[in-house]
Structure formats: structure tokens, C-alpha cells
Amino acid sequence: MNTNTKSLALTSVLIALGYVFHTVVPPLFFGMKPDLLLVMMFLAIMLSPTKQNVIIASMAAGVISALTTGMAGGQIANIVEKPITAFIFLALFLLAKKVKVNAISAVLLTVVGTIISGTLFLMVAMLVAGLPGTLLSFIGMIVVPTSVVSGLIMFFIYPIADRLSKRSNLTAN
């Protein structure tokens, strides 16, 4: 199996796992729920930081999130924001990779990426469906807590996934 096929398989497994996370987390506020599928998308990007993988992971994550959202305007918001977020995350990851990527930097990247994703999502949802409340209130009530939870999850899964992918020679690195 070549490296591209291995990376695609790994990305598929991570996105599927993210789907499971995404469906079991309950809505918190006005039908909005933390998007833990995002954490798996970020992990897929970190383990295989190629443009092709970013496109595949972000499109899959966007469509799955759109199909499973319960929020008005969430379908469009997910499809729009996931690719944008993914490429911003890739750029941040490639910058961080020049220094060193470890569990701590993976957590920081995940927190920042989640804040970017959540903010973009809310902006698009507000334009499409209008939301009761302000952007800042939603960021404070949903995005910031979600980014903390996402960071904690990444803290535990990144070292394991990184070690397994290197040992199995699964990534395109």
C-alpha cells in the first residue's frame, strides 16, 4: 500500500471516529453542540499535512457535520467553514512544525483552530439564519468551552496517534 493510500485510510478512520464523537455529544445552547469531529480533522491534518489530505478531510468533515447538525443554518455554515478552517490550520501547523510539534503544540493548535472554526461557523450561521444573541456571547458560551474540551481531547490522543502512525509508517511525513 503506498503512502497516499495509507494517509487516505488513516484520514477516513479519523473522520469516522470524529463522526461518532459528533453524534454522541448533546446540544448545549440553541441546538448548537461542540464539533468534536473537528478534533479528528485537525489530527488527520497533523498526521498527513498535505493539500490533498486537507481537501479530503475538510470536505468529509463539512458534509458529515452538515448532515448531522441540528442548528438552523448549520448545514451551509459547516460546508463553508470546514475547508477554510482546515487550510488555516494547515498553515499554522506548518509554521509550528518548523519549531517542534508535540502534545502541547498540538493542543494549542487545536484550541486556536477550534476558535477559528467556531467563529467562522457562527458568522456564516448568523448571515444565513440569524441567531438570537451576539457573536461574542455565542463565542463565550459555545466556542471557548468547546476549544478547551477539544484541546483536552487532543492532549490525550495526539501522542498516541503520532506514535502509532510513525510506528506503522502510516503518514505522508
Side-chain angles (χ1 to χ4, degrees):
M1 201 183 302
N2 69 31
T3 304
N4 288 337
T5 304
K6 288 178 184 179
S7 293
L8 179 59
L10 175 62
T11 296
S12 299
V13 168
L14 290 172
I15 296 299
L17 183 58
Y19 167 71
V20 172
F21 283 146
H22 188 70
T23 56
V24 299
V25 173
L28 300 178
F29 186 70
F30 292 116
M32 294 176 70
K33 58 184 179 176
D35 188 0
L36 299 179
L37 175 57
L38 193 64
V39 175
M40 296 298 117
M41 181 181 84
F42 291 158
L43 184 59
I45 293 168
M46 286 189 276
L47 295 176
S48 183
T50 65
K51 289 178 188 173
Q52 177 185 355
N53 194 55
V54 169
I55 291 168
I56 291 167
S58 66
M59 295 305 290
V63 168
I64 291 169
S65 292
L67 291 172
T68 59
T69 189
M71 186 182 153
Q75 294 81 7
I76 295 170
N78 276 301
I79 290 172
V80 169
E81 76 73 20
K82 288 292 186 291
I84 296 168
T85 298
F87 277 101
I88 292 170
F89 186 86
L90 174 64
L92 294 172
F93 175 75
L94 293 175
L95 286 173
K97 195 174 174 183
K98 290 180 180 181
V99 179
K100 177 151 174 71
V101 176
N102 56 27
I104 300 302
S105 56
V107 167
L108 293 174
L109 287 166
T110 300
V111 168
V112 170
T114 303
I115 291 169
I116 291 167
S117 173
T119 302
L120 288 171
F121 176 88
L122 288 170
M123 290 168 63
V124 173
M126 287 180 137
L127 288 172
V128 171
L131 297 176
T134 65
L135 180 64
L136 286 178
S137 66
F138 281 110
I139 290 171
M141 290 187 295
I142 302 295
V143 176
V144 171
T146 298
S147 69
V148 171
V149 170
S150 297
L152 286 171
I153 291 169
M154 187 61 78
F155 179 76
F156 291 106
I157 64 170
Y158 178 79
I160 296 166
D162 186 50
R163 200 172 319 119
L164 288 174
S165 69
K166 285 177 181 171
R167 187 180 301 167
S168 302
N169 195 23
L170 285 173
T171 60
N173 296 339

